[in-house]
Amino acid sequence: MKIVVCVKQVPDTTEVKLDPKTNTLIRDGVPSIINPDDKAGIEAALELKEKLNDGSTVTIVSMGPPQADVALREALAMGADEAYLLSDRKFGGSDTYATSTIVAAGVKKIGFDIVITGRQAIDGDTAQVGPQIAEHLGVPQVSYAEDINVEGNKVIVKRKYEDREHILELPIPCLITALSELATPRYMSVKGVMDAYRAKEVKVLTFEDLKDMFNPDYIGLKGSPTNVFKSFPKQAKGKGEFYPDLSADEAVNTIVTKLEEKHII
Ligand SMILES: Cc1cc2nc3c(=O)[nH]c(=O)nc-3n(C[C@H](O)[C@H](O)[C@H](O)COP(=O)(O)OP(=O)(O)OC[C@H]3O[C@@H](n4cnc5c(N)ncnc54)[C@H](O)[C@@H]3O)c2cc1C
């Protein structure tokens, strides 16, 4: 079984700062990490491989600039078998559609049985890329996974909803998007780190390697159907007022009075 995990390198903060002039993320000076959902996906893939114990492999794929090599080495140090970086200037400026087009092309070229992505990246936050990759690959998908098991040629996934869980069965090949609750990522071992930098290789696939796998009109900035009109950070809310010791009736009266004072009601 070939398990492929898609990984995005993200800034190590949920407080993403934006350049108001260019509408792009300010990455300078912000350390990068593997997106937390993706790290849980790597761990789940490694656990699955160990449980199956049948020669299954874990392959990591990331699209990004050359700096994403560090994220891939970290995944190798955790125990992944191989890693691919999809990197080319032509890929720059891609929106989610173009990103998923390129990642799906890479995954198809490498080969796969199960693809795991994170549910959501903590910087872009759209949760679109995983499901879009499944559509490009033409395979069934389950999102919001909190447990994954393989039984014969089927994958059993526990999918989390706000108020319930579903146990879903899907055939292989398929794609699953991981919640960070899916698995607690293991630490890199010293041997793992040494191997990641000395014995293992991050293979780079460029536009030239992938150009027959997609329509070049649909990648990069020009091929991205999304236009960003304005980007802005979340405005901090006011401190608010606390009335901890009110009865239910007093609380209702207080809220109604406040709303009347502000002419909301
Ligand atoms: C017009 C436009 C231009 C943009 N230009 C740039 C740019 O130049 N540089 C830039 O970094 N961002 C750019 N972005 C943002 C970029 O589109 C998103 O960061 C990217 O598509 C992923 O979307 P997301 O972060 O919402 O991921 P989500 O959909 O929230 O991610 C879900 C999961 O998909 C997988 N995934 C997501 N991205 C990747 C990836 N790159 N490689 C492997 N797996 C992945 C991961 O497993 C992740 O957990 C641009 C966006 C727009 C709209």
Side-chain angles (χ1 to χ4, degrees), residues 86-117:
L86 317 180
S87 194
D88 197 297
R89 279 185 178 278
K90 289 195 171 75
F91 301 161
S94 292
D95 68 358
T96 61
Y97 182 77
T99 299
S100 61
T101 302
I102 298 161
V103 176
V107 169
K108 210 168 179 176
K109 178 132 191 148
I110 294 159
F112 67 97
D113 292 302
I114 300 174
V115 181
I116 300 178
T117 74

Side-chain angles (χ1 to χ4, degrees), residues 5-10 23-25 27 35-39 61-65 84-86 91-100 103 116-133 176-178 220-221 224-228:
V5 187
C6 300
V7 162
K8 185 181 181 191
Q9 193 186 41
V10 294
N23 281 330
T24 55
L25 298 181
R27 293 172 193 270
N35 182 53
D37 286 353
D38 307 359
K39 215 163 171 184
V61 177
S62 185
M63 185 200 89
Y84 288 85
L85 175 62
L86 317 180
F91 301 161
S94 292
D95 68 358
T96 61
Y97 182 77
T99 299
S100 61
V103 176
I116 300 178
T117 74
R119 171 199 52 167
Q120 195 163 346
I122 58 170
D123 56 348
D125 245 1
T126 65
Q128 293 173 359
V129 173
Q132 286 177 351
I133 295 172
I176 296 152
T177 82
L221 188 60
S224 293
T226 317
N227 286 312
V228 180

Side-chain angles (χ1 to χ4, degrees), residues 7 34-44 74 78 183-186:
V7 162
I34 296 177
N35 182 53
D37 286 353
D38 307 359
K39 215 163 171 184
I42 298 170
E43 177 61 34
E74 185 179 340
M78 285 172 72
T184 306
R186 66 192 66 185

